[in-house]
Amino acid sequence: MEFKKVSSGYMVRSEGKVLTRANPGWGGAVGTLRGPDGVEWRYFPTLDEALLDPDFGSLVEAGEAWWREVQA
């Protein structure tokens, strides 16, 4: 996985998926998934919804752990 600071938050990239939380205090996230038909966008109004998503849950977990480390 690749992690990067963006705006006041972070981005996680792995295996054709990208999850962005540009402002973690806001609560939501945006994900993109590269597939055979192009790029699919997903909006998650809450972090809990993103955690439950089968495609993005692991990226959220890894991203949140990385973000806590960076902020410490």
Side-chain angles (χ1 to χ4, degrees):
M1 284 188 196
E2 175 189 341
F3 302 93
K4 184 177 185 179
K5 278 182 108 174
V6 293
S7 190
S8 60
Y10 66 86
M11 177 192 75
V12 183
R13 182 185 319 229
S14 177
E15 300 174 9
K17 301 175 208 169
V18 176
L19 179 91
T20 304
R21 292 197 74 212
N23 185 356
W26 166 72
V30 175
T32 58
L33 176 63
R34 187 170 300 151
D37 297 326
V39 175
E40 176 186 341
W41 290 81
R42 295 189 192 163
Y43 168 67
F44 304 104
T46 67
L47 187 60
D48 288 337
E49 289 181 56
L51 282 165
L52 292 173
D53 187 273
D55 293 315
F56 291 98
S58 62
L59 270 72
V60 174
E61 289 174 357
E64 288 296 302
W66 178 81
W67 187 244
R68 283 190 296 275
E69 269 184 40
V70 174
Q71 296 301 303

